[in-house]
Every structure is written in C-alpha cells, then in structure tokens.
Amino acid sequence: FESESPAIADVTRDGLLAATGPAGTTTVRVASGIRETFVPVTVRAGPPRSLAFVDAPPPESAAAAALALALRVVDAFSNPVAGLRIVLVVTGGDGTVEPADGTTDAAGGLQATWRVGTTAGEQALEARAERVAAATVRTTVLPPPEETPAEPPDEPATPGR
C-alpha cells in the first residue's frame, strides 16, 4: 500500500489508511505480486475541534449598536466544519442577536449581528455547538454622554445703567 499524498492520508504499518492532515483527495496504490490497482480516497473534515469568533466586536460600544460578528468552526487539522448548528445566546446585558441560531457554511463560517443593549456596562454573547467548547465575546456599552445645561444668553447692555 502506498499513498500518493501522505500529507493528506497515509497507510500505516498495519495496512490501515489514516488521515494525516488537511482535507483533500489522494490515490492509494494497492499491490500484491504482479497485480496492482489505484483507489481514489477523499478525506473530509473531522469532528469540530474549535469554535471561534474571527471578527470580534470592539472593546467598547455605543448603546444599541449593531455589531457584525463572524464565527468559524474547524477540525483538528484546521479544516472547515460545514453543517454544524450554532446557537447564539446573549449571556450578559439586554441585547439581541440575529440569527439566534444557524448552520455553518462550506467554509465553516456563520455570520450574525449582535445589537447590544442600552444598559451601560459589560455585555456578553456566547456561541454554542455540540462536541466543541463554547466561545464568548464581550463589549462594554458606554453610558450616554452627559448633557451640559445650556447657558442663558448674555443680556444686552442697557444704556444708562
């Protein structure tokens, strides 16, 4: 047994085929005596290993700001994991998120918009999926600027006073 691309899949001493790196295709040569055949092999992404925000919100935000978020799920070889359901939950503050859940695309990604709440202080959002640790992002909602009272206009000078 011999793999054309051992960086994708290789044959062990015991004759087992093992994924060794990124997803892809290779051909395995199987030979016995004078006979040989070539078997195409496709290695797909494995189970999810990491769920992460790739576009995190700024550390501080205005009240009710709409923040674009991007998540990515990959396997142990950094292959994108497609078709994984992600649930997004506001865990701190009074904000909302759209969509509240979705499925990763072919690139292992999911896009969402987090509208932070109106209460000043820390706000948090968590992404959850099966078989992988959750990921959390945070931002601090700034209090509204203090309004300074308007000063009364200057009184025009009255002649003779």
Side-chain angles (χ1 to χ4, degrees):
F1 297 100
E2 183 180 7
S3 175
E4 183 179 88
S5 300
I8 294 174
D10 206 3
V11 180
T12 68
R13 288 184 192 167
D14 299 325
L16 300 174
L17 187 63
T20 56
T25 58
T26 187
T27 301
V28 174
R29 179 181 155 271
V30 181
S32 177
I34 61 168
R35 304 190 112 202
E36 73 177 6
T37 189
F38 295 88
V39 179
V41 175
T42 300
V43 175
R44 293 185 177 31
R49 177 72 169 267
S50 169
L51 164 62
F53 286 92
V54 291
D55 283 339
E60 296 178 336
S61 303
L67 307 176
L69 302 173
L71 297 122
R72 186 156 192 258
V73 180
V74 297
D75 71 3
F77 296 110
S78 296
N79 295 310
V81 177
L84 186 67
R85 182 170 179 255
I86 307 286
V87 176
L88 300 167
V89 180
V90 175
T91 57
D94 55 342
T96 59
V97 63
E98 285 293 325
D101 65 88
T103 303
T104 55
D105 60 21
L110 178 70
Q111 310 287 321
T113 301
W114 178 22
R115 184 165 301 278
V116 297
T118 56
T119 305
E122 186 176 272
Q123 309 250 334
L125 181 124
E126 187 173 90
R128 302 172 182 165
E130 289 187 18
R131 305 181 323 236
V132 66
T136 302
V137 289
R138 293 174 171 37
T139 189
T140 299
V141 171
L142 300 173
E146 291 186 27
E147 293 184 27
T148 42
E151 293 185 23
D154 290 336
E155 294 288 325
T158 307
R161 277 197 172 174

